[in-house]
Amino acid sequence: AVATDYLDGYFARRRNQVTRLGILLDPLADKLLIVGAFLSLVEMGLVPAWVVMIILARELAVTGLRNVAAGKGILIRASALGKAKMVAQVTAVLLLLLSQPLPALRLPALVALGVVVAVTLGSGADYFVRFWKDVVRGRGD
């Protein structure tokens, strides 16, 4: 699913077929994919529920900020930190899944999970700062 999502974005940009709707919907699809994967990992006993709560809280907060901004005609694009968060999340999910048949990957998977928490918090803070600059201060609201 991650590979097809990446290819979709790649070809949309390459063919100059990026749409406002796609810019708004693609992050939602990403969130559903990642949250679903992490919830499954909690059920499997591979990830503590508090980690998923941090991820979910960040995703809901950022979606809310982007929706408020969009309502004011301002588009808050994905940041480099947001993209790094997605890469870290996908890497952690892959390592966690592979750690089941390959226990030697458990430690790298846990390290990757720690990176996910740090990057998730950092990118969430980045979106709040950008929202403040672009929407609150930029419009005088």
Side-chain angles (χ1 to χ4, degrees), residues 35-36 46 84:
V35 169
L46 296 173

Side-chain angles (χ1 to χ4, degrees), residues 2-97:
V2 171
T4 59
D5 178 56
Y6 172 79
L7 289 173
D8 171 61
Y10 172 79
F11 286 118
R13 286 185 299 276
R14 189 160 184 215
R15 294 179 178 181
N16 201 25
Q17 295 178 325
V18 175
T19 65
R20 190 170 183 84
L21 182 62
I23 290 170
L24 293 173
L25 290 181
D26 185 65
L28 290 175
D30 292 349
K31 289 169 188 7
L32 286 173
L33 174 68
I34 287 300
V35 169
F38 275 110
L39 286 174
S40 297
L41 291 168
V42 168
E43 184 67 24
M44 295 169 67
L46 296 173
V47 174
W50 66 266
V51 170
V52 176
M53 289 306 299
I54 288 172
I55 293 168
L56 184 58
R58 182 260 183 218
E59 300 302 344
L60 291 173
V62 168
T63 298
L65 292 177
R66 291 176 103 174
N67 286 340
V68 169
K72 295 178 180 256
I74 299 169
L75 185 63
I76 300 177
R77 294 185 182 272
S79 68
L81 267 176
K83 291 178 189 285
K85 174 204 55 91
M86 183 66 171
V87 170
Q89 289 174 337
V90 169
T91 301
V93 167
L94 179 62
L95 287 171
L96 286 160
L97 287 172

Side-chain angles (χ1 to χ4, degrees), residues 58 64 120 139:
R58 182 260 183 218
T120 295
R139 294 285 178 134

